[in-house]
Amino acid sequence: MSFDRSIKIAPSILSADFANFGQEIQAIESQGADWVHIDVMDGHFVPNLTFGPMAVKAFRPHVKTVMDVHLMIAPVDPYIDAYAEAGADVLTAHIEAGPHIHRTLQAIRAADMKAGVALNPGTPAEAVAHLLDLTDLICVMTVNPGFGGQKFIDMTSKIRSLRSMIGDRPVHIEIDGGVDPSTAPLVVEAGADVLVAGSAVFKGGSVNDPDVYGANISNIRDAANGVWA
Ligand code: DX5
Ligand code: ZN
């Protein structure tokens, strides 16, 4: 996984057909997805339940790009090795999930994955000031985590602060929640490069009508790239 700051669209399979993940992943990748975003929820850190390591391992052979696993679970550390074994390329933990995010990020890298740290909307940019050399990705939540299809919360000032704190370090800024063609330009202009989108990618399409996914992905990408046109 090489580093660059080009715009990457990462569809969240939380909005896919839950009875057909293999084909859904193939459909979004064939339609231009750069990464595949997998939302892991535990019914404790967030009020919803999704994928354990066995499910993520079953997705792995279908993902040809980057498997981006977003843990919304607490605790994190007991599960790091299981998600490494499942084949995660990027493993992201929430800073709010426990007292020892520093140790968690070290453990994720020690398990040969890229280490991400996610910030809930109420958590300030400064919370990661002492983690910048331990992380490969900062995920800025633009909704309160737990569900797809929520309304975008404007975090552009936080994104700008993070972009300036990161400087030349090879750290991605990922935005998660309510990303669509109208909000994508705001976050990219502020400094984001990875755009997670669930409902805005999957709406109106299906594995039998995958061109709709392609059009939805292009609309987000074009809006984001338009910032620099
Ligand atoms: C929310 C998840 C998101 C979610 C985004 O807890 O982390 O990845 O799937 O969904 P949309 O794009 O519909 O807001
Ligand atoms: Zn997510």
Side-chain angles (χ1 to χ4, degrees):
M1 224 187 122
S2 61
F3 180 86
D4 71 67
R5 286 193 203 286
S6 62
I7 301 300
K8 289 160 282 292
I9 310 294
S12 163
I13 62 165
L14 193 61
S15 295
D17 174 1
F18 268 45
N20 201 5
F21 283 116
Q23 285 188 55
E24 289 277 43
I25 290 167
Q26 286 165 28
I28 52 172
E29 289 197 336
S30 72
Q31 294 294 325
D34 299 289
W35 292 10
V36 175
H37 185 83
I38 297 172
D39 287 305
V40 173
M41 305 185 185
D42 68 351
H44 164 73
F45 180 70
V46 290
N48 199 358
L49 276 167
T50 59
F51 313 117
M54 290 170 70
V56 174
K57 189 172 191 171
F59 303 152
R60 180 69 259 187
H62 300 283
V63 178
K64 309 296 184 205
T65 56
V66 170
M67 193 157 80
D68 175 34
V69 178
H70 176 193
L71 299 180
M72 287 161 275
I73 67 174
V76 172
D77 294 8
Y79 300 100
I80 291 172
D81 288 345
Y83 284 97
E85 165 71 15
D89 295 304
V90 181
L91 193 68
T92 296
H94 269 261
I95 197 164
E96 306 86 2
H100 297 297
I101 187 69
H102 192 284
R103 175 156 60 212
T104 299
L105 293 171
Q106 287 180 319
I108 293 172
R109 280 189 170 173
D112 279 333
M113 295 174 285
K114 298 290 184 190
V117 58
L119 306 182
N120 279 334
T123 302
E126 290 68 28
V128 300
H130 300 281
L131 303 171
L132 295 169
D133 292 315
L134 283 176
T135 189
D136 302 291
L137 174 147
I138 301 173
C139 174
V140 177
M141 295 304 302
T142 39
V143 296
N144 284 296
F147 302 95
Q150 303 184 82
K151 190 172 161 3
F152 177 81
I153 303 169
D154 188 351
M155 290 282 135
T156 44
S157 69
K158 189 195 290 188
I159 299 165
R160 264 182 241 290
S161 301
L162 289 167
R163 188 68 200 85
S164 136
M165 289 162 65
I166 288 168
D168 291 335
R169 295 176 178 87
V171 178
H172 297 289
I173 297 182
E174 176 178 74
I175 309 302
D176 192 0
V179 172
D180 64 19
S182 72
T183 55
L186 305 175
V187 298
V188 168
E189 201 275 328
D193 63 301
V194 184
L195 305 180
V196 175
S199 40
V201 166
F202 285 92
K203 72 164 188 220
S206 74
V207 295
N208 298 318
D209 200 3
D211 292 358
V212 175
Y213 297 160
N216 290 342
I217 290 170
S218 294
N219 288 340
I220 299 168
R221 194 190 307 281
D222 290 349
N225 283 324
V227 168
W228 310 118

